[in-house]
Amino acid sequence: MEHVDAVVVGSGFGGAVAAYRLADAGLSVVVLERGRPYPPGDFPRGPAQLARAFWDPSESLYGMYDVWSFRDCDSVVSSGLGGGSLIYANVLLRKDEDWFVHEESLPKGGYESWPVSRAELDAHYDAVEQMIGVSPYPLGHPAFGDTLKTLAMRDAAAELGLDWRLPPLAVSFAPSRGAEPGLGLPIAEPEYGNVHGRVRRTCRQCGECDLGCNDGAKNSLDHTYLSAARRRGADLRTLHQVRAVRPRVGGGYDVEYVEHMPPVSPDDDDRRRPRWTGPHTISCDRLVLAAGTYGTTHLLLKNRAAFPGLSRALGTRFSGNGDLLAFLLRATDRSRTRPIQASRGPVITSAIRLEDGPDGRGAYIEEGGYPAFVDYLVEAADLGGEAGRAGRFLLERLRGLVTHDTNLSAEIAGLLGRGELSGTSLPLLGMGRDVPDGELRLRDGRLDVVWTAETSDAYYERLRATMRRIGHVLGAEYADSPSWWRKRVMTVHPLGGAPMGRHPGEGVCDPYGEVFGFPGLYVADGAAMPGPVGANPALTIAALSDRMCTRMLETPTPTAARVTAAPEPVAGPDDPPPVFGERTSLWFVEEMRGFLGVGRTDPRSRMGTPEGGHVTFRLTITVDDIAAFLGDPGHRARAEGWIDTAVCGGRRPIARGWFNLFVPGEAPDRRRMNYRLHFWDADNRPRTLSGYKDVHHGPPTRLWLDTSTLYARLLEGHVDEGGDDDAKVVAAGTLHILPSDLARMLTTFRTAGPDGTGALTRFCGFFLGELWDIYRPRQGS
């Protein structure tokens, strides 16, 4: 079997950065990208080409646009070498500092919590901007100064007192950095060359960014990070689609993939010919999942059985980054004398930053554009015969070209047929901080999204109101996207599904993208976002990947223990206010199993007999502040995870849990380890598992029995400490730690914060010291 140091799945903003950084460090790297390469000049333009510009290998379609349609929302993402950079609108904005929120309550429960800060990302933002090459739209230059849509947005913002700006764009307006801008000039290649080997030319304002730039003016990832990665030795394999991933015995991961075999020509319709080879398998020490929000989350959900103990946060924190599309129809410049020509210039040239509302949910509004030939399609859509049918057919295949939409073909064609999206229309693109309370899950083996706009209504209404005000200044009629008539969420920036967090109870991966419990497995794309970026997310995804690689390369082996960034504590409604500052946290995973006897009230009676049902729990025990934990006589920590027993209808998530280590007992040589887990059973009835380990003086041979045996009672209701005697007991029994589970537990210890090694040493010293104090030989014993 082929083996390499690292496999990167996907070549978008997370994967491309990872491929370059790892290859540049001398690692053997293979990039598996399902789509094709697209050199300048190869992007589809004519009706026949655009009709095949979609991704569905089962129908011999291997194009760029991958349209996902769910019950509650729709999306369009990209397939090709360079991922989303092939069809995005070039904007590389940094996430606002105030939007790195911490523990913001969500309507359906839980929190939006960013375990990183703007300060931690700024250096990585700098590195990505330098590598890609960004510059604002050169509005002050004669060749670009008459862009009416940009001027109109500037004037409208000035009249309304809004914060207007020219954002950084990943577009080459000049032939080299520092040179004079110009239209269609040959671009000087960097020292690492270009993966396609074709001449690139500067932006000529054709508005075709979302179709792929045939001039090569867009500084997409294939021209930058991926070209540099290949120069450093990375193996870029296109038309390679990953189907399965799994851990290897002894460390590392196996990656199973197929290699697509597209037809030689569109006329090749031989259904008997194989369309792919494989499956093939490649193994690696480090695996970077960067297949996009949908692709990465889908892979983890499909292969969840291969990753026992994967965080229950998988599939959560989905959001659309606040995406909203609207149109200003029959728009003119501020003087009301000239129509706005949205087809002139890049798709986006300027942005308005809305101030944060009372809920802290600010937004951006960016003017949109579309290819110049859409103006001509307006005419074709009103014609009869072949021309009219060709125009309408093409429009149906442009799903999202003008609108970034997915299921709006008929509606957009209708607007075009009335001439309302021609030279007098201006698309407005909104994005910001919607509520990340959506869920990605499998439905009949397929990916599904459960999410609506209802919990973000206030945000969307504020955004639409500002767009109307802009339209009023420009003498335009405001029109919602047809999808909004049905309150259907449309997004080109899907985020979440494998969110980062400070511990497994909060996220799938840590603040550096490494999946909890699986060293060497990383998430490096939009799936790792724990909430909306707010601004266009591409730059933040790339910066987080750059930060991930810095930490990865500091780790000598994937299984080595490491110290991560300092987290803030997760506080519940009944917990005391957290004390912020320098702190070090620790967590580990404990698994126990045993039996509960229904009707028994004393767990010590008939101890260990299999009366009743099997019970297993898997808990992540988290100490938010080791110093405070060691100084607290109650030595209290959080317990998160699941409990599985037939008495309660199978596996149930822990809603809230506590663990106390070595609580003083009735005598100086007696201690208890207390467990209290609140959850709901399958019939939605509240239940509490209350248990203790009885650690007391005796021969050293008792040490294993005492510390590995939990006496437990299953209680009705959510019973707080001190209320057990008044609660009704459903069942009672004992659970044990098996030697194999103990060995596994010892590999799960992690720390976060300053001096992680020292903190772990102090924790172990406390643990061993307590055991010595209890079991040490005593005079007369």
Side-chain angles (χ1 to χ4, degrees):
M1 181 190 301
E2 182 182 11
H3 182 87
V4 294
D5 294 327
V7 167
V8 179
V9 181
S11 61
F13 283 95
V17 171
Y20 166 68
R21 288 294 310 277
L22 300 181
D24 189 54
L27 275 65
S28 56
V29 177
V30 168
V31 177
L32 300 176
E33 165 57 51
R34 65 176 181 169
R36 301 171 179 263
Y38 286 92
D42 279 18
F43 289 102
R45 286 298 184 267
Q49 291 180 334
L50 285 165
R52 303 190 62 80
F54 297 89
W55 177 262
D56 188 353
S58 66
E59 296 296 327
S60 293
L61 293 173
Y62 301 89
M64 292 186 301
Y65 294 102
D66 186 10
V67 180
W68 295 73
S69 182
F70 305 107
R71 290 177 297 173
D72 301 302
C73 72
D74 298 293
S75 283
V76 57
V77 296
S78 180
S79 176
L81 187 65
S85 73
L86 299 176
I87 64 172
Y88 84 135
N90 316 305
V91 179
L92 293 180
L93 280 167
R94 301 188 181 197
K95 180 177 173 69
D96 287 33
E97 184 171 2
D98 292 341
W99 289 355
F100 286 89
V101 296
H102 178 68
E103 291 186 355
E104 180 164 342
S105 179
L106 301 179
K108 294 182 180 178
Y111 300 91
E112 176 190 351
S113 187
W114 286 78
V116 297
S117 67
R118 171 67 178 266
E120 291 174 303
L121 278 187
D122 271 336
H124 303 284
Y125 279 138
D126 291 341
V128 174
E129 289 174 345
Q130 176 67 23
M131 186 70 180
I132 291 181
V134 300
S135 61
Y137 188 66
L139 189 61
H141 192 275
F144 302 89
D146 60 346
T147 310
L148 296 182
K149 65 172 185 171
T150 313
L151 297 173
M153 283 286 282
R154 182 193 65 184
D155 293 344
E159 184 163 324
L160 296 171
L162 300 174
D163 178 5
W164 177 88
R165 59 187 70 175
L166 294 171
L169 301 178
V171 177
S172 291
F173 298 105
S176 61
R177 298 183 186 185
E180 190 74 6
L183 302 177
L185 304 176
I187 297 174
E189 293 291 355
E191 54 86 18
Y192 50 74
N194 191 283
V195 70
H196 301 300
R198 293 191 185 177
V199 175
R200 301 170 59 205
R201 296 186 178 275
T202 59
C203 177
R204 56 182 177 87
Q205 297 185 300
C206 64
E208 298 178 6
C209 307
D210 288 348
L211 280 177
C213 182
N214 271 332
D215 294 296
K218 175 188 285 194
N219 299 337
S220 50
L221 297 167
D222 50 337
H223 298 312
T224 54
Y225 273 103
L226 293 170
S227 290
R230 191 187 69 165
R231 180 68 176 268
R232 302 299 194 274
D235 185 355
L236 310 181
R237 302 181 186 179
T238 55
L239 292 170
H240 284 58
Q241 185 169 13
V242 173
R243 296 288 180 85
V245 294
R246 55 185 174 269
R248 289 172 59 84
V249 176
Y253 299 89
D254 285 336
V255 182
E256 185 179 291
Y257 64 92
V258 297
E259 183 175 359
H260 291 294
M261 300 173 62
V264 177
S265 70
D267 298 329
D268 181 4
D269 194 29
D270 185 357
R271 301 284 172 165
R272 296 169 297 176
R273 184 181 58 79
R275 296 177 184 172
W276 47 267
T277 65
H280 310 286
T281 302
I282 183 173
S283 64
C284 57
D285 298 323
R286 296 176 172 93
L287 174 58
V288 178
L289 299 180
T293 291
Y294 295 138
T296 289
T297 307
H298 196 197
L299 266 178
L300 289 174
L301 286 170
K302 285 196 308 179
N303 294 277
R304 191 169 196 162
F307 295 88
L310 194 63
S311 169
R312 60 190 173 95
L314 180 62
T316 66
R317 299 292 177 267
F318 177 81
S319 88
N321 202 51
D323 283 3
L324 181 71
L325 171 74
F327 297 96
L328 302 183
L329 306 179
R330 292 177 291 279
T332 60
D333 65 1
R334 193 181 180 192
S335 69
R336 308 287 177 89
T337 60
R338 294 185 297 176
I340 292 176
Q341 297 175 334
S343 60
R344 178 173 172 77
V347 168
I348 294 173
T349 62
S350 67
I352 291 173
R353 167 66 162 91
L354 270 62
E355 292 184 358
D356 293 352
D359 57 359
R361 299 195 175 278
Y364 282 90
I365 297 175
E366 299 165 354
E367 107 283 344
Y370 47 81
F373 64 75
V374 169
D375 289 336
Y376 298 99
L377 290 177
V378 172
E379 304 295 333
D382 283 330
L383 294 175
E386 294 298 324
R389 285 194 293 274
R392 285 190 292 273
F393 177 74
L394 175 56
L395 290 170
E396 290 174 358
R397 291 294 183 174
L398 285 183
R399 305 172 187 252
L401 164 65
V402 177
T403 67
H404 290 203
D405 208 339
T406 58
N407 284 338
L408 300 180
S409 302
E411 295 95 329
I412 296 301
L415 289 173
L416 281 162
R418 296 193 299 272
E420 293 177 336
L421 289 184
S422 61
T424 62
S425 73
L426 180 66
L428 293 181
L429 309 172
M431 65 198 70
R433 293 195 55 232
D434 57 357
V435 177
D437 56 357
E439 180 186 356
L440 287 163
R441 62 188 186 185
L442 292 182
R443 184 185 185 197
D444 299 327
R446 297 175 179 271
L447 189 67
D448 188 28
V449 173
V450 180
W451 188 53
T452 70
E454 292 179 1
T455 51
S456 299
D457 272 348
Y459 159 81
Y460 284 117
E461 289 308 311
R462 183 165 173 262
L463 194 58
R464 293 171 67 231
T466 305
M467 290 177 170
R468 286 193 186 92
R469 294 170 62 204
I470 295 172
H472 179 74
V473 172
L474 300 179
E477 175 187 345
Y478 172 87
D480 283 313
S481 162
S483 65
W484 194 254
W485 304 341
R486 307 187 301 272
K487 273 299 183 80
R488 190 170 176 83
V489 177
M490 298 287 177
T491 178
V492 293
H493 301 129
L495 300 172
M500 65 177 67
R502 293 156 300 177
H503 51 78
E506 187 176 80
V508 173
C509 57
D510 70 11
Y512 292 91
E514 189 170 18
V515 175
F516 287 113
F518 296 93
L521 176 62
Y522 295 85
V523 177
D525 53 26
M529 303 300 104
V533 173
N536 309 67
L539 181 62
T540 296
I541 292 170
L544 284 166
S545 180
D546 190 71
R547 180 174 181 265
M548 173 195 78
C549 292
T550 297
R551 176 51 59 94
M552 193 190 309
L553 294 170
E554 292 172 351
T555 305
T557 64
T559 57
R562 51 183 179 71
V563 179
T564 57
E568 302 295 348
V570 176
D574 300 323
D575 288 337
V579 179
F580 295 95
E582 293 294 309
R583 69 183 75 237
T584 300
S585 62
L586 173 146
W587 63 91
F588 61 94
V589 178
E590 182 183 46
E591 186 163 339
M592 300 190 72
R593 61 198 75 215
F595 301 92
L596 288 176
V598 177
R600 291 168 56 189
T601 59
D602 183 1
R604 289 179 176 270
S605 66
R606 300 173 62 187
M607 185 182 73
T609 61
E611 178 186 352
H614 291 269
V615 59
T616 302
F617 67 57
R618 192 174 195 273
L619 303 177
T620 297
I621 307 296
T622 302
V623 177
D624 289 317
D625 186 340
I626 291 180
F629 175 86
L630 296 179
D632 175 16
H635 307 304
R636 181 172 171 175
R638 286 181 292 108
E640 299 166 290
W642 50 261
I643 181 170
D644 190 352
T645 174
V647 176
C648 296
R651 181 174 297 189
R652 311 302 299 167
I654 303 301
R656 191 163 171 76
W658 301 268
F659 167 74
N660 299 88
L661 180 63
F662 293 137
V663 178
E666 297 82 12
D669 61 351
R670 205 174 191 101
R671 304 285 191 279
R672 279 197 174 194
M673 301 184 197
N674 293 336
Y675 294 72
R676 186 168 300 275
L677 309 176
H678 290 176
F679 61 99
W680 280 268
D681 68 10
D683 295 321
N684 207 31
R685 294 174 299 189
R687 292 289 184 260
T688 298
L689 186 79
S690 175
Y692 65 94
K693 296 177 183 176
D694 189 12
V695 182
H696 57 276
H697 178 66
T701 53
R702 288 194 54 86
L703 189 152
W704 170 253
L705 177 64
D706 290 348
T707 57
S708 65
T709 302
L710 180 70
Y711 302 98
R713 293 194 297 172
L714 181 64
L715 310 176
E716 285 190 355
H718 285 169
V719 182
D720 292 328
E721 188 175 355
D724 289 17
D725 292 341
D726 298 325
K728 182 177 179 180
V729 181
V730 178
T734 56
L735 291 84
H736 301 273
I737 299 177
L738 301 180
S740 58
D741 293 331
L742 175 64
R744 189 181 306 112
M745 182 183 74
L746 295 176
T747 69
T748 66
F749 275 80
R750 295 289 189 274
T751 62
D755 191 24
T757 302
L760 180 59
T761 300
R762 291 192 299 275
F763 178 88
C764 293
F766 165 74
F767 186 90
L768 296 175
E770 290 289 316
L771 292 179
W772 169 254
D773 190 51
I774 296 168
Y775 293 102
R776 63 182 171 84
R778 303 174 191 275
Q779 289 185 349
S781 62

